[in-house]
């Protein structure tokens, strides 16, 4: 037997901020197929970082809809496993430790700018959400927090450096730090870790060998590669799926209620048909 056989570890990482739709199902189905094809293990992680937007009823619905669709996992919040806890809301200490490491390495700085991207930082910047203007660097010089002022922690990107990786599905990818994306939030001023940090830290801590996600997160992958390097972690492989678009060419989103797995099930559609 090939010694690497069975060592593949993939993950499904939904955020319980609404009902899952066909776009999620398609990415998750691909993730499951990748894991099966590699005799691997599939992990379910509940990405419930943002307490203000995540709700317990969505967690229950998420598990139910995923099972209905035909997804199965070997480790997760419902079945446990050696790399738990499997809900991000229970992993703050792990993120805090990573934050300290970034701080010790002088990779981050306290930023007092109050922009809406700080609120948005805990969710993955899907599609059009990722066209934020490059952060102008107002606080880049700061090394210490200003007494009495609220601040977030921002990662200082290496301006001009080409961040390249070979995507398993889409081939070679390249982004230029400081041009395609700028300094990004790793920790919100209200003490919530940002998606980019939590995701990279968890994928590494859970021993994920390949991340399957939508192509709208390609630039987040580039950001996360910088975090892996700064934290001295080994990055996984990446498989980005092409996006499902609606009839007007827009990415499917939670606003397409009719395409939620719930609605499709209620309309009598079978998982086989949807796949
Ligand atoms: N929880 C994130 C989301 O729902 C995960 C994205 C990723 O695959 O990294 O978009
Ligand atoms: Zn700032």
């Amino acid at each position: 037997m090939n010694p690497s056989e069975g060592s593949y570890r993939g993950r499904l990482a939904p955020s319980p901020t609404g009902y899952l739709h066909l776009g999620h199902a398609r990415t998750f189905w691909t993730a499951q197929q990748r894991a099966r094809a590699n005799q691997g293990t599939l992990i379910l992680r509940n990405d419930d970082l943002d307490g203000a937007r995540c709700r317990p009823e969505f967690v229950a619905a998420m598990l139910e809809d995923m099972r209905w669709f035909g997804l199965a996992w070997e480790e997760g919040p419902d079945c446990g496993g050696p790399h738990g806890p499997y809900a991000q809301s229970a992993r703050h200490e792990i993120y805090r430790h990573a934050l300290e490491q970034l701080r010790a390495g002088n990779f981050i700085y306290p930023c007092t700018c109050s922009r809406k991207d700080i609120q948005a930082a805990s969710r993955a910047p899907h599609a059009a959400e990722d066209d934020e203007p490059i952060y102008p660097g107002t606080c880049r010089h700061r090394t210490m927090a200003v007494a009495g002022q609220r601040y977030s922690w921002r990662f200082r990107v290496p301006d001009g450096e080409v961040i390249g990786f070979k995507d398993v599905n889409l081939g070679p990818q390249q982004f230029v730090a400081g041009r395609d994306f700028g300094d990004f939030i790793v920790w919100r001023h209200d003490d919530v870790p940002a998606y980019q940090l939590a995701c990279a830290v968890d994928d590494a801590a859970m021993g994920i060998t390949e991340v399957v996600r939508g192509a709208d997160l390609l630039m987040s992958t580039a950001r996360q590669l910088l975090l892996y390097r700064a934290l001295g972690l080994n990055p996984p492989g990446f498989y980005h799926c092409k996006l499902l678009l609606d009839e007007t060419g827009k990415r499917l989103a939670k606003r397409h209620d009719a395409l939620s797995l719930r609605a499709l099930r209620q309309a009598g559609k079978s998982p086989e048909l949807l796949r």
Side-chain angles (χ1 to χ4, degrees):
M1 187 173 128
N2 177 335
S4 69
E5 230 172 294
S7 61
Y8 180 104
R9 287 174 63 82
R11 46 72 153 183
L12 312 170
S15 291
T17 56
Y19 294 123
L20 297 178
H21 57 70
L22 218 42
H24 297 112
R26 139 83 170 253
T27 305
F28 295 162
W29 190 252
T30 305
Q32 175 160 299
Q33 283 180 315
R34 292 287 303 157
R36 298 286 176 267
N38 291 281
Q39 288 105 44
T41 302
L42 199 55
I43 288 100
L44 174 65
R45 188 177 73 221
N46 175 8
D47 279 6
D48 60 348
L49 268 188
D50 192 345
R53 296 177 69 248
C54 297
R55 299 218 216 106
E57 59 267 34
F58 288 137
V59 178
M62 178 170 102
L63 296 174
E64 189 183 302
D65 293 348
M66 289 173 81
R67 287 200 195 97
W68 170 78
F69 193 74
L71 296 161
W73 45 90
E74 286 75 44
E75 297 173 30
D78 55 331
C79 53
H83 295 81
Y86 292 92
Q88 290 194 321
S89 59
R91 300 175 62 83
H92 267 233
E93 281 319 302
I94 301 169
Y95 310 135
R96 161 111 21 227
H97 178 76
L99 182 75
E100 291 311 325
Q101 234 183 301
L102 291 175
R103 192 150 69 143
N106 195 29
F107 290 105
I108 56 176
Y109 57 88
C111 170
T112 51
C113 305
S114 70
R115 290 161 43 104
K116 68 171 190 338
D117 62 332
I118 295 175
Q119 276 317 312
S122 286
R123 57 177 189 263
H126 288 283
E129 280 177 4
D130 206 6
D131 57 7
E132 277 293 326
I134 305 286
Y135 177 71
T138 321
C139 300
R140 245 189 177 190
H141 63 280
R142 283 190 210 282
T143 49
M144 293 224 309
V146 184
Q149 245 183 317
R150 303 205 307 175
Y151 61 93
S152 308
W153 287 102
R154 215 178 258 277
F155 186 90
R156 190 185 295 104
V157 305
D159 282 336
E161 185 181 327
V162 177
I163 314 297
F165 60 97
K166 192 165 181 301
D167 187 76
V168 179
N169 187 35
L170 304 176
Q173 304 293 320
Q174 250 182 225
F175 296 96
V176 179
R179 194 190 73 193
D180 293 321
F181 62 91
D183 294 357
F184 56 90
I185 307 274
V186 293
W187 203 275
R188 283 169 32 172
H189 57 63
D190 53 357
D191 209 29
V192 178
Y195 155 75
Q196 306 292 354
L197 180 70
C199 187
V201 166
D202 281 349
D203 287 335
M206 295 178 174
I208 302 303
T209 60
E210 184 176 272
V211 167
V212 176
R213 57 167 57 131
D216 53 351
L217 292 175
L218 278 164
M219 210 145 76
S220 287
T221 295
R223 294 181 178 98
Q224 289 169 27
L225 285 169
L226 291 174
L227 289 177
Y228 280 100
R229 185 169 74 189
L231 292 166
L233 298 169
N234 243 341
F238 293 95
Y239 183 113
H240 289 81
C241 306
K242 291 190 182 143
L243 298 181
L244 274 187
L245 305 175
D246 71 8
E247 51 301 329
T248 69
K250 285 210 224 40
R251 168 185 172 268
L252 293 187
K254 288 187 179 127
R255 71 196 132 79
H256 291 82
D257 282 343
L259 295 177
S260 76
L261 294 183
R262 305 237 113 186
L264 292 165
R265 165 156 54 141
Q266 273 148 23
K269 308 273 192 244
S270 71
E272 293 75 20
L273 175 83
L274 300 176
R275 282 176 220 146

